[in-house]
Amino acid sequence: MKLTRWASVSLILAVACTVTSGNNVVNSPSSAATLPELAVNTTRAPDAEISARTYLDAWQREDYAAMYSMLTALSRDSRLCPFRCQDR
């Protein structure tokens, strides 16, 4: 009984997975389709000491706009960003 049920399920799955189009090819990409050339862009990280000094100098001058502009987009979008209230 179990063997008959297993064979029936296997046959149904095999038939369902081998449905073909008129040219007997299933989901074949066209031969004209090509992938674009791979482009690799690298960005050099800024010097940490210079960045920290610039940020702390802006803090000392209370230049919050300059400090805010140095933040990454992810940091600017954070709910915890203390400068966010200036945008409203």
Side-chain angles (χ1 to χ4, degrees):
M1 179 76 172
K2 287 184 179 183
L3 182 59
T4 306
R5 186 175 297 164
W6 181 84
S8 298
V9 171
S10 298
L11 180 63
I12 291 171
L13 286 174
V15 170
C17 293
T18 58
V19 175
T20 61
S21 60
N23 62 359
N24 292 334
V25 178
V26 178
N27 295 330
S28 67
S30 68
S31 60
T34 58
L35 294 175
E37 290 294 320
L38 179 63
V40 177
N41 296 325
T42 58
T43 304
R44 190 174 291 254
D47 183 27
E49 285 188 37
I50 294 172
S51 298
R53 175 56 40 209
T54 303
Y55 191 86
L56 292 174
D57 288 345
W59 187 3
Q60 201 170 31
R61 293 188 315 270
E62 297 181 5
D63 187 356
Y64 301 113
M67 293 167 65
Y68 185 80
S69 70
M70 293 180 69
L71 297 175
T72 63
L74 183 63
S75 295
R76 283 186 226 136
D77 293 341
S78 170
R79 290 181 175 212
L80 301 176
C81 179
F83 308 116
R84 196 173 169 142
C85 61
Q86 293 181 357
D87 291 344
R88 297 179 189 174

